Amino acid sequence: MRKILSRIGIGLLILIIAGIVVCFYIGELTYAFSLLLLLLFVFGAMGQLYKLKNDEYMYHKLNEREQYEDYTR
């Protein structure tokens, strides 16, 4: 399932980039800049998700170490 979603995501990313190039080529600057803004939002959201996942991992890692130290003393 995850493999399929990643392929769909990469396909949509390629389509958006191709759409930006085509819109600049034919002179539709409004659509091109709106697609650039959409791409910026997508990358920003992905960055926030990875940051959240990393924060959760670090939280669990730190709490497990404290519990380990409490039991081994």
Side-chain angles (χ1 to χ4, degrees):
M1 180 71 179
R2 190 172 190 185
K3 206 176 210 183
I4 294 171
L5 289 177
S6 66
R7 287 182 183 173
I8 291 172
I10 290 173
L12 288 175
L13 182 67
I14 291 171
L15 283 175
I16 289 175
I17 292 172
I20 291 170
V21 171
V22 168
C23 285
F24 275 122
Y25 181 73
I26 63 174
E28 294 292 331
L29 297 179
T30 306
Y31 292 126
F33 286 122
S34 64
L35 285 174
L36 281 172
L37 187 64
L38 177 68
L39 201 59
L40 180 72
F41 284 148
V42 167
F43 283 132
M46 285 172 49
Q48 288 297 319
L49 286 174
Y50 286 129
K51 182 187 178 304
L52 181 65
K53 193 173 184 180
N54 185 34
D55 289 343
E56 182 181 2
Y57 169 75
M58 291 303 291
Y59 176 77
H60 287 299
K61 185 176 177 182
L62 289 174
N63 283 343
E64 287 175 6
R65 187 177 67 184
E66 290 173 1
Q67 289 176 358
Y68 177 76
E69 290 174 357
D70 289 341
Y71 286 120
T72 57
R73 286 186 184 177

